[in-house]
Amino acid sequence: MTRYLVAEWIRRTRLRLADPAARPLPEVTVGSGPGVRGWVLRLALAVLCPLLLLTAAGRSPGLAAGLVWTVVVLATILLVVRPTPAAAGGVVVGSGVLLWGFEPGPFDPWSFVVALLAYLLTRVTWWAAHVPPGGRAEAAALLVGWRRDLGVLGATVLLGGLAMLAEGTTLPAAVLLGACSVVGIMLLALATNGSARDDGPSRG
Amino acid sequence: MTIGGIIVNRGRTSQGRPADDHHGWHPTSAHTTAIAVGTLLLAISILAARPDIALVGIPGLLAATWATTTRPTTPLTTTLHEPPGPTAPGELAATLRLTTAGTPGTTPTADIAHLRITAPGHRDTHLALATTRKPGAGEAGVREVALRLSSVRTGPQETFSVDVRGSRHGLWEEEPTEVGGARRLVLPGAAPLGRLPLPRRLRGLTGPHSSRRLGDGSELRDIHPFTPGDRLRRIDWRTTARRSPELDTLYVRRTYSSAEATAVLVVDSRDDVGPDLRTWRGYGTLRVDEPTSLDLARHAAASVAQALVETGDRVGLEDLARRRRPLPPASGRRHLRRVVHGLALAHPKDRAADHRVRPPQVPADAVVYLFTTVLDDEPLHLVRTWRAKGHPVVVVDTLPDLHPVIEHHLWIAWRIARLEREDRLAALAGEGVPVVRWAGSERDQAAVRFEALARAAERNAPGPSTSAPRAAAP
């Protein structure tokens, strides 16, 4: 009896493994250029998120290692599982807090690297949110906004450089000017002429 | 269509206002998040007196500012182009045309198109594409994407449904739109076949075969003394000179008349079963990359029809599941197209067999090709009735090769069904009805099997031996 049951179990297992009906459904063939699968974008997130947080935390030696690693693991899991702009924003704010380390200090040049990684993480998160793991993003689409990204990063470096130069000065006007420029950028960004669910311009 | 939360029909809102500049563009949550993160980091940097912290949020703020100044104004237009008319198996294709009203570099418009392509029996395909291609790669502002299904099924088939959403800079998004393909008819293909079993008695006065009747043909029957009614051009002067030197009797060459064969293809489309037994219960999805019994029947019938029409014979079509007029036997390419079209439209119908009180009428002296799965007794009754009326019958078994089953109850049910089916096939073989299998690896052997049947019938058939395809089915 036992021998029969074992043989039956082996037969069923073999059939289940070789079941042709269990294979995935076919995919629609799309004539597009070379692309990147969605899971690759999530993999990139799994690399970028710890890199960003550890780079930021590395500039604050006073932080407890256990706390940092806990934050890194939780944030990475959150981003890989739910790659939403809000999650990415939380990680970026977290990296800023880790960079601060709750300690006053001079302008840290590593903040350029942190800003670059934060922007990269935000962009990759946007792509991961729009391309499911089994989906595909065309390489040409991934590179669509590279000029804008370079411009943004160049402007960031310029602003950071100015901030570094103004840090040593005792001119309150320069600090005020820097703060005003950042606030001005923020206000410009807010001027979207409509709500998030825009119904178009109002008509008289 | 919904644009920006407003229902727009034919370019107007529900209030009747024109919706020309409502293109459904709205900022994404990434835009809002970038501003919120930048503001928060700025506040932290002020509190901590650390300007480097504010720098972390600056790129996002700058990108949001850039996006604000370049708000898109023109929509992404998507159309699906499908070739007109029926198509062949494995060739269900279409072209998706993405049109941006302006150039993404100059006019603010979508730079990325997010597609979700769905098709019955296929996985959903998610794809992000650039709306423009490299310069010189095609019409400006137009991107064409080729789509193709992996279906090997025949008959009426649903095709693509594509959801499209345009986005710009990752910070502006458009309301999604949907484009769909039409239901298309996939005609069965035809495999080349050699000779086929033909009826014992041929009909007509013209055709590719020689009948056993006297008449105008090319096959010599005998030399016969001239009788009234014989044509003068048929006088064989050499034979006359040899046999009747005095010319008191003239001799003529008599020939067999030419004739054509008539075949009726009967497709048992009452059921359509796939290789997966779990789908036989009436629910479950039949895979589109595996042919079902009806696909095999259509393919086999189209192959037989093409082989017969190519030799000049007449072919008719009967569909067991449909109560409509059958296609009467005829020959020619145009009629072949009608037959193939009729095969593509054959499909199961609930309790269609209950309406048939007697077998389909078959023209006299016609051979019947029955394409069936032999899963019930009905084909057996049909074959016996036709044979009783003197029609030779060839059964083409179209049950696909089945996958092994794991479920015990299904396995037992299939064992019982298989034993009953084997009994029916054995009964057919016992009554001398040839059964040709048309599934899996045995499909390649079908042409050889038909050839063997044709030769066997040729050896047993009375009358002239011809070089033209002529044989009688057992």
Side-chain angles (χ1 to χ4, degrees):
Chain A
M1 184 66 185
T2 311
R3 188 177 293 173
Y4 169 76
L5 288 175
V6 170
E8 182 65 15
W9 181 81
I10 291 172
R11 185 187 75 86
R12 283 178 170 235
T13 308
R14 194 180 294 163
L15 285 175
R16 195 170 286 118
L17 290 175
D19 188 5
R23 65 186 192 277
L25 292 173
E27 203 171 9
V28 177
T29 309
V30 184
S32 61
V36 175
R37 286 280 173 188
W39 62 265
V40 178
L41 296 168
R42 278 170 166 75
L43 195 66
L45 277 181
V47 174
L48 270 175
C49 183
L51 194 63
L52 169 68
L53 292 174
L54 290 176
T55 306
R59 307 307 301 166
S60 304
L63 293 173
L67 174 73
V68 171
W69 278 106
T70 306
V71 169
V72 166
V73 169
L74 289 178
T76 306
I77 291 171
L78 175 71
L79 262 189
V80 171
V81 174
R82 283 190 63 83
T84 59
V91 172
V92 171
V93 171
S95 69
V97 172
L98 288 175
L99 186 68
W100 171 26
F102 303 100
E103 289 175 6
F107 190 100
D108 192 348
W110 276 88
S111 61
F112 287 106
V113 179
V114 174
L116 169 71
L117 288 174
Y119 187 64
L120 203 58
L121 180 91
T122 310
R123 295 297 299 144
V124 175
T125 304
W126 185 86
W127 275 108
H130 284 75
V131 181
R136 200 157 55 87
E138 200 180 28
L142 290 171
L143 298 173
V144 154
W146 68 273
R147 286 191 187 87
R148 177 186 55 118
D149 294 336
L150 278 184
V152 162
L153 292 174
T156 305
V157 169
L158 193 66
L159 274 174
L162 287 174
M164 273 185 78
L165 288 175
E167 193 197 14
T169 65
T170 53
L171 289 173
V175 177
L176 189 65
L177 190 66
C180 283
S181 63
V182 174
V183 171
I185 292 168
M186 200 174 65
L187 289 176
L188 267 176
L190 284 169
T192 57
N193 295 328
S195 61
R197 298 287 297 177
D198 192 15
D199 293 338
S202 60
R203 295 172 178 275
Chain B
M1 177 183 175
T2 308
I3 294 178
I6 295 175
I7 297 172
V8 175
N9 187 19
R10 296 184 179 179
R12 290 192 173 268
T13 63
S14 55
Q15 283 83 27
R17 295 177 182 167
D20 294 340
D21 51 356
H22 288 260
H23 297 303
W25 286 103
H26 57 84
T28 62
S29 57
H31 182 270
T32 316
T33 307
I35 297 168
V37 167
T39 311
L40 194 60
L41 286 172
L42 182 64
I44 293 173
S45 74
I46 291 169
L47 284 175
R50 291 275 301 267
D52 50 344
I53 295 171
L55 196 67
V56 177
I58 289 295
L61 266 180
L62 282 172
T65 309
W66 191 315
T68 304
T69 55
T70 57
R71 178 188 171 130
T73 52
T74 53
L76 175 68
T77 311
T78 312
T79 49
L80 192 67
H81 299 269
E82 292 182 305
T87 184
E91 294 180 9
L92 270 175
T95 304
L96 187 73
R97 196 177 167 92
L98 304 168
T99 311
T100 48
T103 313
T106 56
T107 314
T109 185
D111 52 10
I112 295 167
H114 302 271
L115 311 179
R116 186 179 65 183
I117 306 164
T118 54
H122 290 72
R123 270 181 288 166
D124 286 3
T125 303
H126 296 261
L127 194 64
L129 295 174
T131 54
T132 51
R133 306 188 70 179
K134 290 175 185 174
E139 195 180 337
V142 176
R143 172 83 194 264
E144 290 190 342
V145 184
L147 308 176
R148 180 180 288 274
L149 293 182
S150 306
S151 173
V152 296
R153 306 285 302 280
T154 54
Q157 299 289 322
E158 298 289 342
T159 57
F160 309 92
S161 174
V162 186
D163 295 318
V164 187
R165 180 197 282 270
S167 74
R168 181 173 172 79
H169 292 170
L171 297 168
W172 291 97
E173 271 185 352
E174 206 179 9
E175 287 289 327
T177 54
E178 183 184 355
V179 290
R183 191 180 168 90
R184 296 187 67 191
L185 187 66
V186 181
L187 300 179
L193 294 177
R195 294 195 301 169
L196 295 171
L198 294 177
R200 294 187 193 93
R201 292 174 60 192
L202 302 172
R203 308 276 293 182
L205 297 174
T206 58
H209 313 286
S210 295
S211 75
R212 282 179 288 164
R213 287 177 286 110
L214 285 173
D216 287 336
S218 57
E219 193 76 24
L220 176 68
R221 183 176 186 270
D222 60 1
I223 303 293
H224 193 269
F226 186 88
T227 54
D230 285 340
R231 293 179 178 274
L232 292 178
R233 64 183 173 86
R234 288 201 168 273
I235 296 172
D236 189 345
W237 292 107
R238 285 188 180 178
T239 308
T240 301
R242 191 168 57 248
R243 291 189 180 182
S244 176
E246 303 300 324
L247 292 180
D248 50 351
T249 305
L250 297 174
Y251 287 90
V252 294
R253 296 169 62 87
R254 297 198 303 183
T255 56
Y256 289 106
S257 78
S258 56
E260 61 191 357
T262 302
V264 175
L265 313 179
V266 182
V267 178
D268 185 1
S269 57
R270 294 170 303 139
D271 51 10
D272 186 12
V273 293
D276 188 2
L277 275 173
R278 281 164 288 202
T279 60
W280 286 25
R281 293 173 285 186
Y283 52 88
T285 309
L286 288 168
R287 291 185 66 93
V288 294
D289 54 352
E290 293 172 340
T292 63
S293 63
L294 195 52
D295 294 322
L296 292 176
R298 289 182 183 127
H299 183 234
S303 304
V304 170
Q306 179 171 301
L308 289 169
V309 167
E310 276 180 352
T311 54
D313 292 320
R314 293 154 62 86
V315 182
L317 175 66
E318 269 277 4
D319 183 356
L320 284 187
R322 303 190 76 174
R323 297 187 65 209
R324 62 173 189 183
R325 288 186 63 190
L327 267 179
S331 58
R333 289 272 166 198
R334 185 177 294 179
H335 182 70
L336 177 63
R337 282 200 293 273
R338 273 198 293 271
V339 169
V340 172
H341 202 272
L343 286 171
L345 290 176
H347 66 275
K349 203 172 179 181
D350 288 342
R351 295 194 299 277
D354 295 347
H355 300 296
R356 283 201 176 271
V357 293
R358 59 185 179 186
Q361 292 291 315
V362 174
D365 302 328
V367 62
V368 179
Y369 286 88
L370 175 62
F371 303 88
T372 179
T373 54
V374 204
L375 284 173
D376 62 0
D377 289 333
E378 193 69 19
L380 210 60
H381 298 152
L382 293 174
V383 169
R384 283 172 179 157
T385 309
W386 284 321
R387 283 175 61 83
K389 290 180 178 175
H391 296 288
V393 181
V394 178
V395 174
V396 180
D397 180 9
T398 58
L399 187 73
D401 289 343
L402 301 179
H403 299 326
V405 283
I406 303 166
E407 292 85 353
H408 197 63
H409 62 286
L410 282 179
W411 182 62
I412 290 175
W414 167 238
R415 277 190 69 185
I416 295 169
R418 190 184 63 194
L419 288 173
E420 289 177 349
R421 183 173 176 276
E422 283 172 357
D423 283 348
R424 289 182 204 110
L425 292 174
L428 286 173
E431 293 170 16
V433 178
V435 179
V436 179
R437 183 128 170 80
W438 192 282
S441 57
E442 292 183 65
R443 193 191 310 178
D444 299 333
Q445 304 296 320
V448 179
R449 179 93 172 100
F450 277 128
E451 177 77 26
L453 286 172
R455 283 191 182 181
E458 197 177 80
R459 280 197 298 273
N460 299 330
S465 65
T466 60
S467 57
R470 183 186 187 285

